Amino acid sequence: MVERRENGAQRVTGPLLSVLVLVAGLVATALSAAALYSAQRDTATREMTQRHEMALRAIRSETERYHRLLTTLAAGLVNDPELTWEDWDGATGPLADARLIGAGSVAYVVPVRTEDVTAAERLWRARGATVTFHPDPRLDEHYFGVFLRYLDETEPTALSGADRAANDLLADTLRKARENRDMAVSDAYVLDRDRRDVPVAEQQKSFILAVPIWTRENTPQFRGWVTSSLRGRDFLSEILVKVSERQISGELLSVDADSSRHEVASWNAPGSPDLHRSDLVRVGDRDWILETHGDFRHLVGSGWYLPVVVLAAGLILTGMLAWLVHVLATGRARARARVEEATAGLREAEGKSRRQAELLGAIMTTISDGVSVIDSRGELLLENPAARRLLGVRGRPVGPENWQEHYGVFRPDGRTPLPLDEMPLIRALHGESTDGVEVLIRNPGHPEGVLLSIDGRPLDPSAGEHGAVAVCRDVTELRRYETDLSIFAGVVAHDLKAPLSMARGHAELVLEDVPDGWPESDGIRDGLRRILHAVDRMDALIETMLAYTTARHAPLRAAAVDPAAMVREIIDERVAGLGPDRPVPEWSLEPLPMVRADPAMLRHVLDNLIGNAMKYVRPGGTPRVEVAAGPAGRGLVRIEVADSGIGIPDADKPHIFDTFHRTEAAAGYAGTGLGLTICQRIVQRHGGEIGVADNPGGGTRFWFTLPAADPSEEPEMTSTDRSPAEDEDAVRAALERALAERAAMTEAASLAGLVMPPGTVPSDEPAPGRLRAPIPERRHQRQD
């Protein structure tokens, strides 16, 4: 009986406990979801308020800037009683650079009585105005715009000469500004030129801002107005785009003189707005109303659905928990066994996860390469000790915009700050993978600077976080070693060219001494000319291979350079070296901006491209070279070299910069296939790009980009500005250092008991003493 009662109690207790757990779980889940929703709602409300206030501040700041600039312009014009077009153009120049949001134009408007129209028109035409007055016969006083500067390139380019007093709305605004002696703002309306030139669907309402010009005499005289047009939709959309990140929409309402409200402009954002804000903005003598709307889901972000997920998960967990309680209450042993089995698996998974985390942490701490990880906002998530050591500073900067000041990031030249959008982590954050981007880090931790090679990758989405990861390594010593190798290559090239120079000299001497009377004279001379030709080819090949080897790793001495002067020098040298049977090339040179580059490397690029333009010409044709500047991005200069030669087939354009690549059409012309490869290496080392396209007039157009020079920096001297002695001293110093190091290594090897490799012939060349600079090779022209 007792056992039966116990079994009955267990049968009743199990379902009762399950019901209690189910009710408690449902209540807790509902409360959690409601609290989470309320928190998200509060967050969205704060975000909406912040963005609305930012938009208000932006509108107030921009309208105050309008007021300040127009008032300043009017104050400046009052001091010029005989205002001319040149004075107006100079005074309004800063307005064009101020980039006023929504601004269409700024005009100088003068009042003219009916009896003075002809005299006023003649006066203002004498001062440079190009307008014909068209007075309204119904009025006694007329308002004409005499000078105009357009602040928007899409505006028309001429004054209409219409009587602005005929427009009641505009005339009231001008009269109010004159009476109040302060800026007046018109009601919103569609500008006359928009009605004429813009389709109805694209027309937008605008405002006219008028500032009066009164003299400062004891009896002030009125001279006119400075007016500016402000396009409402352009003004509102640009401000909201900046502050809203396309998450809120808004309308700009104008309160007219009769207290009526009119919508001036609106900006729509995705979603169904359920949050609203409205505030008054005082502009001059007018009131504007800014109304903004936001969608709770977009303002919260990707986690807006969390309350639903929490609710669903809570219901599922509550049901599972109620079922588990029921199972526990009815079968304790079985439930205990299952719990033990489940917890064992969880403990094992937890231990495995902990070991993997510890292993990952140990790896990140041990590796010598620096690893940095950022999130989608550019905030630093992870930085291993190697990264902190390589970057040389501690602490985390707030936002990517502070990276430059915090770390001291420069281009490899050590002088040009690396723009934020070119940093590997930012490029990776935008989805672009980068390899081997070299930057120089100079800060208090690395006062001498350290050269880093950085690889950047977008963060794998499986990590659950949108971001980017960068791996950096110190390549300072590697680049120094490669620089030493480049100098050594120059020494080797000099050693190889010395026998060639001797062979050429002896061949020339023999060629001059061959008697004319010998029967074999013609054969001997032909053989000697072949030797000279082969020597010249070998000399050119050594020069090309040396340039190819050192173009990537030679020291980059960047400075401000005038490419136009360098182009003229190259063309003059090329033309002077042409034979009498070669046609004189036609060339043109447009103005080129200053660039920041290594002068010797830039000269090599220009000389190669100009030389190709003169060389690859159709038989019987005249070479033509055109050098001009093309459009480029901010901080860059684009230089284009065009010719009218044989051109490059489309199939070969993707491979034209590959090593030893030559087209079929170029088979009949001399060349090694390395010139364009060297040019590409040099341009890429400067952080630029190089490409090729067809010339519209026939031929080929090569282009490349380089960093623009600082206008305040003095240009580097070209080879025409330096004396031969300075060039000779520079070559001698580099060769002396390289040969002295080579002699020191040889001496150290001999002291250590090392032996020379078999077959090596000891050199009788004087070692570490004073070296003579190599004599520049002359380009010999074959005489037939």
Side-chain angles (χ1 to χ4, degrees):
M1 180 68 69
V2 175
E3 182 178 357
R4 184 180 302 172
R5 280 201 296 268
E6 290 179 355
N7 292 335
Q10 291 180 358
R11 286 195 296 270
V12 174
T13 302
L16 182 60
L17 289 175
S18 300
V19 171
L20 292 176
V21 169
L22 182 62
V23 172
L26 291 176
V27 172
T29 300
L31 292 176
S32 299
L36 182 58
Y37 177 80
S38 177
Q40 288 189 338
R41 189 77 181 185
D42 292 341
T43 301
T45 302
R46 288 194 299 272
E47 181 72 14
M48 179 67 192
T49 302
Q50 291 176 358
R51 295 189 182 278
H52 177 77
E53 292 176 351
M54 289 172 62
L56 275 177
R57 288 196 296 271
I59 291 176
R60 289 186 178 122
S61 173
E62 192 63 24
T63 53
E64 288 174 0
R65 195 158 71 103
Y66 265 93
H67 190 179
R68 184 171 59 255
L69 290 175
L70 293 178
T71 303
T72 302
L73 177 60
L77 296 179
V78 76
N79 297 321
D80 193 352
E82 296 182 357
L83 182 68
T84 65
W85 165 251
E86 289 75 12
D87 299 333
W88 169 260
D89 185 60
T92 57
L95 289 180
D97 300 331
R99 300 184 181 275
L100 294 172
I101 299 177
S105 63
V106 59
Y108 183 61
V109 181
V110 297
V112 180
R113 303 293 300 178
T114 300
E115 60 271 14
D116 299 331
V117 169
T118 303
E121 180 179 309
R122 186 165 50 253
L123 171 65
W124 289 109
R125 281 180 173 273
R127 295 184 180 181
T130 58
V131 65
T132 301
F133 293 163
H134 300 289
D136 191 325
R138 300 172 300 170
L139 304 175
D140 295 331
E141 186 179 34
H142 314 279
Y143 306 145
F144 298 109
V146 293
F147 295 139
L148 181 68
R149 174 183 281 274
Y150 289 103
L151 307 179
D152 184 355
E153 295 179 355
T154 62
E155 292 284 344
T157 59
L159 282 167
S160 64
D163 188 354
R164 302 191 179 191
N167 186 326
D168 295 337
L169 188 149
L170 181 56
D172 291 341
T173 302
L174 295 176
R175 284 192 289 269
K176 186 180 296 182
R178 178 167 59 182
E179 294 170 0
N180 297 335
R181 300 194 180 186
D182 197 2
M183 186 178 79
V185 182
S186 70
D187 293 339
Y189 76 105
V190 179
L191 298 177
D192 293 338
R193 56 177 172 270
D194 287 352
R195 289 193 178 97
R196 294 192 307 268
D197 305 328
V198 180
V200 176
E202 300 178 9
Q203 291 178 2
Q204 55 178 310
K205 291 186 177 180
S206 304
F207 299 94
I208 295 297
L209 285 67
V211 175
I213 302 176
W214 286 89
T215 63
R216 297 186 179 89
E217 303 167 351
N218 292 333
T219 304
Q221 296 181 3
F222 180 70
R223 291 185 176 170
W225 301 268
V226 173
T227 67
S228 176
S229 59
L230 187 153
R231 297 182 180 277
R233 185 170 59 203
D234 295 344
F235 181 80
L236 178 65
S237 61
E238 186 166 348
I239 286 180
L240 288 185
V241 166
K242 288 182 178 179
V243 303
S244 70
E245 297 181 359
R246 300 186 180 275
Q247 291 184 348
I248 65 171
S249 57
E251 294 89 30
L252 186 63
L253 306 178
S254 171
V255 181
D256 294 343
D258 58 356
S259 299
S260 61
R261 298 183 179 184
H262 299 282
E263 180 181 308
V264 177
S266 62
W267 170 260
N268 296 322
S272 301
D274 53 359
L275 297 175
H276 307 275
R277 295 290 184 273
S278 178
D279 270 298
L280 191 68
V281 182
R282 186 70 177 179
V283 182
D285 59 341
R286 294 290 184 187
D287 289 331
W288 292 356
I289 298 176
L290 175 65
E291 294 185 352
T292 55
H293 318 282
D295 188 343
F296 159 78
R297 295 172 301 174
H298 289 83
L299 290 172
V300 171
S302 59
W304 65 270
Y305 53 83
L306 284 179
V308 178
V309 174
V310 169
L311 182 62
L315 293 176
I316 295 174
L317 291 176
T318 300
M320 294 176 61
L321 184 60
W323 174 80
L324 181 60
V325 169
H326 177 75
V327 172
L328 287 174
T330 56
R332 241 176 242 179
R334 183 179 57 193
R336 186 178 294 111
R338 291 181 179 178
V339 170
E340 287 295 332
E341 181 181 357
T343 54
L346 290 175
R347 285 195 298 272
E348 181 181 359
E350 181 183 2
K352 185 177 180 180
S353 299
R354 186 183 299 109
R355 288 192 298 271
Q356 290 179 347
E358 292 173 352
L359 177 61
L360 178 60
I363 292 173
M364 296 294 291
T365 304
T366 305
I367 60 175
S368 59
D369 288 347
V371 179
S372 301
V373 183
I374 61 172
D375 61 12
S376 58
R377 300 182 303 276
E379 299 295 334
L380 196 61
L381 296 177
L382 173 65
E383 187 178 54
N384 70 341
R388 291 192 290 271
R389 175 178 55 82
L390 292 174
L391 295 175
V393 292
R394 296 186 177 275
R396 300 183 176 185
V398 180
E401 62 276 3
N402 297 314
W403 288 358
Q404 176 61 245
E405 179 180 358
H406 185 75
Y407 294 112
V409 189
F410 298 86
R411 295 188 187 274
D413 60 10
R415 298 180 59 182
T416 308
L418 186 67
L420 180 63
D421 55 359
E422 294 185 18
M423 293 187 180
L425 271 175
I426 298 300
R427 293 168 64 181
L429 194 62
H430 295 161
E432 178 185 358
S433 297
T434 58
D435 291 306
V437 178
E438 294 188 2
V439 300
L440 184 75
I441 301 297
R442 186 187 298 115
N443 50 50
H446 294 300
E448 299 299 328
V450 58
L451 189 64
L452 301 183
S453 175
I454 304 177
D455 300 338
R457 294 290 187 277
L459 194 62
D460 193 320
S462 62
E465 178 78 30
H466 174 64
V469 58
V471 178
C472 61
R473 60 193 64 85
D474 188 353
V475 295
T476 307
E477 292 301 324
L478 176 61
R479 293 297 174 260
R480 289 175 182 168
Y481 175 72
E482 290 172 345
T483 301
D484 294 340
L485 285 181
S486 299
I487 296 177
F488 179 73
V491 176
V492 172
H494 173 257
D495 293 344
L496 289 175
K497 289 174 65 176
L500 288 177
S501 300
M502 183 177 296
R504 168 177 257 291
H506 285 295
E508 288 179 342
L509 290 175
V510 174
L511 182 61
E512 293 175 357
D513 294 339
V514 174
D516 294 334
W518 285 7
E520 297 87 357
S521 296
D522 293 340
I524 293 174
R525 289 192 182 96
D526 185 64
L528 290 173
R529 292 191 186 100
R530 291 177 181 271
I531 292 174
L532 292 175
H533 183 64
V535 168
D536 287 343
R537 289 183 59 192
M538 186 64 181
D539 180 73
L541 182 59
I542 291 174
E543 291 285 353
T544 303
M545 293 300 293
L546 178 60
Y548 174 76
T549 304
T550 59
R552 177 174 294 169
H553 308 300
L556 189 66
R557 293 180 286 272
V561 182
D562 181 7
M566 191 172 289
V567 169
R568 293 190 189 95
E569 178 182 337
I570 292 171
I571 292 178
D572 289 343
E573 292 178 358
R574 288 275 182 177
V575 173
L578 293 176
D581 56 339
R582 297 284 299 277
V584 177
E586 300 176 359
W587 61 278
S588 64
L589 173 61
E590 296 183 5
L592 301 178
M594 297 285 289
V595 299
R596 180 164 184 80
D598 185 298
M601 292 188 178
L602 175 59
R603 181 183 178 87
H604 187 99
V605 174
L606 291 172
D607 185 69
N608 190 286
L609 297 179
I610 294 173
N612 286 350
M614 293 184 179
K615 178 171 65 174
Y616 293 104
V617 182
R618 294 181 178 87
T622 300
R624 177 166 181 80
V625 185
E626 298 177 359
V627 183
R634 180 177 297 178
L636 295 175
V637 171
R638 175 175 170 136
I639 299 177
E640 298 179 351
V641 180
D643 60 55
S644 57
I646 61 176
I648 299 174
D650 292 338
D652 287 314
K653 285 188 177 69
H655 312 287
I656 196 65
F657 297 101
D658 293 348
T659 305
F660 299 113
H661 180 84
R662 303 198 73 198
T663 64
E664 293 183 3
Y669 298 84
T672 60
L674 291 175
L676 294 178
T677 304
I678 296 171
C679 293
Q680 184 185 47
R681 285 187 174 186
I682 292 174
V683 171
Q684 289 178 348
R685 284 202 61 195
H686 285 78
E689 297 179 352
I690 187 170
V692 62
D694 292 332
N695 192 17
T700 308
R701 180 176 294 270
F702 283 92
W703 61 267
F704 62 93
T705 60
L706 293 174
D710 188 347
S712 62
E713 187 174 0
E714 291 295 330
E716 179 79 3
M717 290 190 303
T718 62
S719 60
T720 57
D721 301 321
R722 293 194 299 264
S723 65
E726 292 175 342
D727 290 334
E728 183 176 344
D729 290 341
V731 174
R732 181 183 297 113
L735 293 178
E736 283 180 0
R737 287 195 302 270
L739 289 180
E741 292 175 1
R742 185 175 66 176
M745 290 188 291
T746 304
E747 182 180 355
S750 63
L751 291 176
L754 299 177
V755 296
M756 299 180 66
T760 303
V761 179
S763 174
D764 56 358
E765 183 182 24
R770 179 78 172 171
L771 294 180
R772 295 182 59 192
I775 301 175
E777 299 291 339
R778 294 184 174 88
R779 296 289 181 183
H780 291 270
Q781 182 177 344
R782 184 174 177 179
Q783 303 291 337
D784 293 331

